[in-house]
Amino acid sequence: TAMIKTATELLDRSASQRKAQLHKSIQLILDGARVTVELDVVPDEDDPHATLVAYDEGGAELAQARVAPNYKLSQAAAERWARSEFRNP
């Protein structure tokens, strides 16, 4: 049972790492309000892409954009997108 537990833990850790690679979230303050920007990568063989979504403090979607799967979400990139009134990032 120790080996099964170890293998399960390894698989769980691997799944967590994979999820972390495919999802990123950044919070910023925009004009006094908290905005959350999330990036979700879709590793589809035929159509790899990522979706960038901004939410207000209450969880309402402010904007959504499709971006390249290698898009690098950073604090600066999230702020630029928000300050451009969420035009294409």
Side-chain angles (χ1 to χ4, degrees), residues 21-73:
Q21 290 173 338
L22 299 177
H23 178 81
K24 187 167 185 182
S25 180
I26 290 182
Q27 291 190 350
L28 53 107
I29 302 297
L30 181 66
D31 299 326
R34 183 180 312 267
V35 174
T36 301
V37 177
E38 295 183 352
L39 176 71
D40 285 298
V41 178
V42 180
D44 187 305
E45 276 188 37
D46 298 325
D47 185 25
H49 63 280
T51 304
L52 197 58
V53 185
Y55 299 97
D56 69 11
E57 292 179 72
E61 186 177 302
L62 298 171
Q64 185 177 67
R66 183 178 168 126
V67 294
N70 61 346
Y71 181 85
K72 301 292 183 209
L73 179 60

